[in-house]
């Protein structure tokens, strides 16, 4: 991404899109009963509260009535159907890791099979987005968490901690290409969750080889454990590699969430918060609800002079419903140089 002399001025930036992840699938309800919904009514009310606070993208998972993460697509269909009525202007983003929470305490955390994850393209009503990983990698979500972050939570228990420490993201080339093909065919946008530049490189190659025709909607996931560390060097290194036509959101874990979001806002990037990412205030004196996290970002963004996107603005910024017809169009719309033609020499660029 290129930053011109006036790029940091709020009048030259898109309004801020806030993604909220308020369903905390890695936690058990007892970890934060005031903020972790269990019943379907509670799931829906959480979305309404987050939208009213200023979030326009809802990263969703769903629980069974016993409080454990659901693996049943019927539960997702039910939730999406109700959300379409309750928050019609909100972008509904299904987390691709739908088996994120173990069924029993201490059970090994596993992702579903490739075939089962492909079934996300069959959700009805369809969501706006499904998050997609690129390249199989470690997904040690607890590597950067400090002991105080986990005190009194289920992840502080040895069996649960080890289960999440050993998690792997299976996202090989065959699965990834087939997954985005099915999502696009169903009219569902692929929202790529990337942990470092090599994953972005693979995604660019997929586009250049005609394996993905669509807008480059990205989240940089800086949680360590196989993904980048949340610091300014890794952040700017990734941002420099992202083409100008892409849309980029930053994501971190625990008390790194707020500092990273505070860097994203004045740069014209977008942000993510919620109890899936963080439970705590910055001094860790109390737990902080997803709504309070949204309200904090709204307040900070307005201090920078950057207004918050409405639901309709967020859909335009995220290019919801937009798909392309060719490799050339995909590269051009996302800001990449074209493919080299036979006999063409030198560095390539758009006219």
């Amino acid at each position: 991404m290129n930053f011109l002399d006036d790029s940091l001025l709020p009048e030259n930036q898109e309004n801020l899109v806030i993604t909220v992840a308020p369903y905390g699938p890695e936690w058990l309800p007892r970890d934060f009963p005031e903020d972790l919904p269990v019943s379907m009514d509670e799931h829906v009310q959480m979305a309404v509260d987050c939208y009213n606070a200023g979030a326009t993208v809802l990263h969703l998972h769903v629980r069974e009535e016993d409080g454990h993460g659901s693996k049943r697509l019927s539960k997702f269909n039910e939730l999406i159907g109700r959300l379409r009525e309750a928050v019609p202007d909100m972008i509904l983003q299904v987390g691709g890791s739908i088996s994120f929470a173990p069924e029993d305490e201490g059970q090994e955390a596993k992702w579903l099979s490739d075939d089962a994850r492909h079934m996300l393209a069959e959700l009805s009503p369809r969501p706006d987005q499904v998050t997609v990983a690129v390249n199989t990698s470690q997904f040690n979500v607890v590597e950067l968490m400090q002991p105080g972050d986990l005190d009194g939570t289920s992840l502080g228990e040895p069996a649960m901690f080890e289960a999440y420490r050993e998690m792997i993201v299976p996202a090989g080339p065959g699965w990834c290409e087939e997954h985005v093909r099915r999502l696009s065919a169903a009219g569902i946008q692929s929202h790529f969750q990337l942990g470092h530049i090599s994953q972005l490189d693979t995604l660019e190659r997929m586009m250049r080889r005609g394996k993905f025709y669509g807008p480059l909607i990205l989240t940089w996931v800086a949680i360590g454990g196989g993904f980048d560390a949340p610091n300014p060097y890794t952040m700017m290194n990734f941002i420099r590699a992202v083409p100008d036509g892409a849309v980029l959101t930053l994501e971190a874990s625990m008390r790194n969430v707020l500092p990273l979001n505070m860097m994203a806002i004045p740069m014209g990037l977008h942000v993510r918060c919620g109890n899936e990412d963080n439970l705590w205030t910055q001094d860790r004196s109390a737990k902080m609800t997803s709504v309070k996290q949204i309200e904090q970002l709204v307040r900070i963004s307005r201090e920078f002079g950057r207004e918050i996107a409405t639901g309709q603005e967020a859909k335009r910024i995220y290019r919801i419903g937009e798909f392309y017809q060719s490799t050339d169009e995909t590269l051009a719309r996302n800001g990449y140089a074209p493919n080299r033609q036979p006999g063409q020499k030198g560095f390539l660029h758009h006219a």
Side-chain angles (χ1 to χ4, degrees):
M1 288 178 156
N2 291 305
F3 289 86
L4 305 179
D5 291 341
D6 60 359
S7 291
L8 301 186
L9 304 180
E11 64 267 25
N12 296 322
Q13 298 173 341
E14 291 279 18
N15 287 350
L16 180 69
V17 177
I18 299 176
T19 297
V20 64
Y23 299 119
E26 75 272 36
W27 310 109
L28 295 177
R30 61 180 168 84
D31 294 331
F32 196 2
E34 301 86 351
D35 201 49
L36 291 168
V38 175
S39 72
M40 189 59 67
D41 286 346
E42 290 170 343
H43 281 72
V44 175
Q45 188 60 52
M46 175 65 77
V48 171
D49 293 343
C50 289
Y51 178 74
N52 289 338
T56 46
V57 180
L58 181 71
H59 180 82
L60 66 94
H61 298 264
V62 63
R63 279 189 167 81
E64 298 287 351
E65 292 292 335
D66 65 1
H68 292 290
S70 179
K71 299 178 175 65
R72 293 190 294 149
L73 294 188
S74 61
K75 292 285 286 188
F76 284 80
N77 289 335
E78 180 184 359
L79 178 57
I80 292 170
R82 292 192 56 178
L83 292 174
R84 286 297 184 204
E85 295 183 2
V87 284
D89 285 339
M90 213 170 192
I91 295 172
L92 303 185
Q93 177 191 98
V94 173
S97 53
I98 62 172
S99 63
F100 204 50
E103 290 188 32
D104 302 302
E105 294 184 38
Q107 181 181 339
E108 183 181 2
K110 292 183 178 180
W111 289 51
L112 292 182
S113 69
D114 288 355
D115 287 340
R117 284 193 290 157
H118 285 322
M119 291 176 66
L120 291 173
E122 301 170 17
L123 287 168
S124 180
R126 70 187 183 197
D128 298 295
Q129 300 179 322
V130 168
T131 59
V132 179
V134 177
N135 292 339
T136 298
S137 66
Q138 189 70 46
F139 193 41
N140 176 5
V141 299
V142 298
E143 183 176 73
L144 295 185
M145 293 184 184
Q146 300 175 345
D149 295 333
L150 302 178
D151 285 349
T153 73
S154 57
L155 282 188
E157 299 164 7
M160 289 286 279
F161 183 87
E162 284 302 312
Y164 280 95
R165 192 167 75 101
E166 295 295 336
M167 263 206 309
I168 301 291
V169 179
W175 173 83
C176 192
E177 291 174 4
E178 177 64 14
H179 198 52
V180 299
R181 185 193 69 77
R182 293 194 192 192
L183 291 174
S184 294
I188 299 170
Q189 186 180 82
S190 296
H191 185 119
F192 296 98
Q193 302 274 108
L194 304 181
H196 44 72
I197 286 177
S198 69
Q199 294 174 352
L200 179 61
D201 290 342
T202 293
L203 182 52
E204 179 185 349
R205 294 181 191 112
M206 284 175 55
M207 297 161 67
R208 292 191 177 280
R209 293 166 182 167
K211 300 299 183 182
F212 174 66
Y213 294 161
L216 201 58
I217 312 299
L218 309 175
T219 294
W220 177 60
V221 186
I223 62 172
F227 291 66
D228 269 341
N231 66 59
Y233 294 105
T234 53
M235 179 184 70
M236 291 309 302
N237 195 37
F238 186 88
I239 290 170
R240 288 184 66 180
V242 173
D244 290 330
V247 178
L248 180 60
T249 297
L250 304 190
E251 176 185 341
S253 175
M254 290 300 186
R255 290 182 298 152
N256 287 309
V257 171
L258 182 60
L260 207 68
N261 283 339
M262 289 185 70
M263 288 185 271
I265 291 171
M267 288 194 295
L269 307 177
H270 303 286
V271 297
R272 172 174 149 151
C273 64
N275 58 38
E276 183 173 334
D277 299 344
N278 178 42
L279 295 181
W280 303 102
T281 59
Q282 284 307 99
D283 60 4
R284 210 197 281 129
S285 62
K287 290 177 180 173
M288 191 174 189
T289 68
S290 296
V291 166
K292 289 297 184 184
Q293 292 180 45
I294 297 166
E295 292 172 342
Q296 182 182 57
L297 293 176
V298 168
R299 184 173 62 253
I300 292 170
S301 189
R302 286 175 172 159
E303 289 289 338
F304 279 118
R306 190 174 174 198
E307 194 45 68
I308 309 304
T310 66
Q312 290 303 309
E313 287 173 337
K315 290 179 180 180
R316 175 187 57 78
I317 292 167
Y318 266 41
R319 295 184 248 166
I320 297 299
E322 190 171 307
F323 299 92
Y324 307 137
Q325 303 302 313
S326 68
T327 297
D328 289 343
E329 182 187 11
T330 301
L331 294 173
R333 294 294 295 273
N334 286 307
Y336 280 115
N339 279 334
R340 187 181 302 280
Q341 299 303 309
Q344 192 174 10
K345 297 181 179 180
F347 293 102
L348 305 183
H349 63 278
H350 290 296

